[in-house]
Amino acid sequence: MDYLKELEGKSVHDYYHQIKMNKMASPIFVPGPVIVGAGPSGLAAAACLKQKGIPSLILERAECLASMWQFKTYDRLRLHLPKQFCQLPLMPFPKALPLYPTKQQFLAYLNAYADHFGIKPVFCQTVVSAEFDHVCELWRVKTQGLKKEDTAEYVCQWLVVASGENAEEVVPQIEGMEEFEGPIVHTSLYKSGSMFCGKNVLVVGCGNSGMEVCLDLSNHNALPSLVVRDTVHILPQQMLGKSTFGLSMFLLKWFPIRFVDQFLLLMSHLMLGDTAQFGLHRPKLGPLELKNLYGKTPVLDVGTLTQIKNGKIKVCRGIKRLARNTVEFVDGKVENFDAIILATGYKSNVPSWLKGSEMFSEKDGLPRKPFPNGWKGENGLYAVGFTKRGLLGASIDAKRIAEDIQHSWKAESTHVFQFPCPLA
């Protein structure tokens, strides 16, 4: 008990920097929640907690905020939704920014957000395990630094998982990958189409990233082809002078989801034409219903469809196998390619380090309970940013988590210090 009181009086950050990380280091008690991940979700959770007077500590495996945005996104990236739907709680985007901020503008906003709320994550600390100790009724969070011997253990009453839906790249296994002589890279390594000028490039995956990478390649005089295996909804980014997303949210306040879907599809047909004639067949379910049921996001077109229509981007069926410099498709066509870019998405890595919890599915690493109920688990465990609803969903989670922890903050803090438990 005296040990915990002593640690409570220290700044977690000061204490962390005073000790030399090694296997013999004492557990570090964190008075408030430990948050895993310093991306937008983790920052939002920390800010909402701080507003309510609750301290927290963010553990981040990279050396900076929002490492995925910083290192694993392409140069031309802009927010796909208007800024008012992407801002974090308690601090709007600067008015001077455009409606769809660039990657660099968004990163500047995140850094300003952290500065404004005094959020200082502990960087270069990869969480290797987090498990609830039922004897102590505390979470034990173990981390590893840049060196194998640099380890630490944090102990806390609440654990907020903010490592995200996009923690690890999804790289499909395609027959003949080892034989293909050109580069095969995931979009996490793609920066610009300038390095592919004049080359035949196959982009695998027709989500927003795959579509935009194709457009970027075309703009840099590459010769892109797009693999489309499944059905896909393509919507204009703007309708009737409004963002399609914003218009959808407004209409859903007054009309049922199927009516809004029919409206979106009618407007899309008028503005974009019949996408099926270009090999882009729509699902039977409408775009909003599909998103609501399965989390599959419709593509918001930023110019790719025009390039497909004029033949600058080719649409291909699924891949059957690769050879030295060729790709054979399931429809029997064989074509030569110089490079392949995998726009095959990302996945959660939570099951690899969160132990003994039923909150997250082993299959996909997402909360088992669907939105809007997936933010709260057992024993003070929370999730932020796993809604498949982008930054808006993360903001909703962050507010709920802070409100929930606030209800028991004083009582639970007292309970921790009175509970007899050997932490060492």
Side-chain angles (χ1 to χ4, degrees):
M1 184 169 65
D2 292 338
Y3 171 72
L4 287 177
K5 287 181 177 178
E6 178 184 351
L7 286 188
E8 184 205 12
K10 296 177 180 287
S11 160
V12 174
H13 296 284
D14 291 345
Y15 184 76
Y16 171 81
H17 289 298
Q18 285 170 7
I19 65 172
K20 181 178 180 180
M21 303 282 286
N22 56 57
K23 292 182 180 180
M24 301 304 292
S26 298
I28 303 168
F29 178 72
V30 180
V34 163
I35 301 171
V36 181
S41 297
L43 295 178
C48 289
L49 287 163
K50 187 156 190 176
Q51 187 211 25
K52 297 183 180 299
I54 303 171
S56 63
L57 177 69
I58 298 180
L59 300 175
E60 168 57 45
R61 63 181 177 178
E63 74 265 10
C64 64
L65 300 175
S67 61
M68 181 177 175
W69 283 86
Q70 192 88 254
F71 302 123
K72 296 186 177 183
T73 52
Y74 38 90
D75 295 341
R76 65 162 282 132
L77 179 64
R78 287 178 173 267
L79 296 181
H80 288 105
L81 302 182
K83 61 184 179 182
Q84 66 265 32
F85 299 109
C86 299
Q87 61 196 23
L88 302 187
L90 310 173
M91 182 176 153
F93 279 99
K95 291 183 179 180
L97 289 188
L99 186 62
Y100 299 96
T102 66
K103 164 185 170 177
Q104 293 304 325
Q105 288 169 333
F106 182 62
L107 286 169
Y109 166 74
L110 293 181
N111 281 300
Y113 189 87
D115 290 342
H116 179 76
F117 292 102
I119 300 170
K120 297 179 180 179
V122 178
F123 293 117
C124 300
Q125 287 299 295
T126 300
V127 173
V128 293
S129 72
E131 189 167 11
F132 188 72
D133 188 325
H134 290 276
V135 176
C136 299
E137 296 189 358
L138 297 169
W139 285 93
R140 293 179 178 268
V141 184
K142 296 180 180 179
T143 66
Q144 182 175 309
L146 296 177
K147 296 180 181 179
K148 190 175 182 179
E149 64 272 17
D150 292 344
T151 62
E153 182 179 24
Y154 297 84
V155 180
C156 57
Q157 183 72 24
W158 301 277
L159 179 64
V160 180
V161 179
S163 51
E165 303 161 342
N166 302 324
E168 306 290 346
E169 297 86 351
V170 173
V171 178
Q173 293 303 305
I174 305 172
E175 183 182 346
M177 285 182 79
E178 66 284 351
E179 299 176 28
F180 190 76
E181 294 182 344
I184 301 177
V185 298
H186 191 271
T187 47
S188 59
L189 298 174
Y190 177 91
K191 295 302 174 187
S192 168
S194 58
M195 61 189 300
F196 297 100
C197 180
K199 296 184 181 297
N200 287 311
V201 183
L202 183 65
V203 178
V204 182
C206 60
N208 279 296
S209 293
M211 288 284 196
E212 194 158 354
V213 165
C214 273
L215 179 60
D216 189 55
L217 287 164
S218 179
N219 290 342
H220 283 92
N221 297 315
L223 304 169
S225 296
L226 178 67
V227 172
V228 180
R229 293 191 310 162
D230 302 316
T231 54
V232 57
H233 278 300
I234 301 179
L235 307 177
Q237 192 176 38
Q238 302 270 131
M239 286 184 182
L240 304 176
K242 304 287 185 181
S243 78
T244 298
F245 181 81
L247 183 60
S248 301
M249 294 301 99
F250 173 77
L251 291 174
L252 285 172
K253 294 178 181 179
W254 304 96
F255 302 103
I257 189 169
R258 292 193 177 183
F259 177 87
V260 179
D261 269 340
Q262 289 302 312
F263 172 79
L264 294 177
L265 291 174
L266 174 62
M267 291 299 298
S268 296
H269 186 81
L270 292 173
M271 297 175 67
L272 304 178
D274 180 12
T275 60
Q277 64 181 305
F278 305 106
L280 302 165
H281 298 274
R282 293 190 182 276
K284 292 182 179 179
L285 288 176
L288 299 183
E289 192 172 8
L290 191 68
K291 174 69 173 176
N292 197 40
L293 290 175
Y294 302 106
K296 188 173 181 180
T297 304
V299 171
L300 294 175
D301 182 54
V302 292
T304 308
L305 192 58
T306 297
Q307 300 293 66
I308 291 174
K309 289 178 179 179
N310 63 27
K312 291 187 177 180
I313 298 173
K314 292 200 299 184
V315 173
C316 305
R317 300 287 303 279
I319 298 173
K320 184 175 182 180
R321 66 171 65 90
L322 308 180
R324 290 177 58 188
N325 56 4
T326 62
V327 176
E328 181 182 348
F329 298 96
V330 293
D331 59 3
K333 291 182 180 178
V334 177
E335 296 188 34
N336 293 332
F337 288 98
D338 301 301
I340 297 174
I341 296 171
L342 301 174
T344 45
Y346 297 83
K347 63 181 179 180
S348 161
N349 68 358
V350 176
S352 70
W353 56 266
L354 182 63
K355 311 299 180 184
S357 170
E358 293 297 317
M359 182 178 182
F360 288 82
S361 167
E362 287 287 336
K363 182 180 179 181
D364 59 13
L366 301 177
R368 295 181 190 275
K369 294 180 182 178
F371 181 82
N373 301 312
W375 61 276
K376 185 177 181 180
E378 71 283 6
N379 301 318
L381 179 64
Y382 298 92
V384 56
F386 291 87
T387 64
K388 291 192 175 181
R389 284 162 174 78
L391 295 165
L392 184 61
S395 294
I396 294 171
D397 284 345
K399 293 173 185 176
R400 287 174 173 164
I401 290 167
E403 289 171 0
D404 197 64
I405 292 177
Q406 183 187 35
H407 291 319
S408 55
W409 165 239
K410 291 182 180 179
E412 292 291 347
S413 296
T414 303
H415 175 72
V416 169
F417 299 129
Q418 291 179 348
F419 200 94
C421 174
L423 290 180

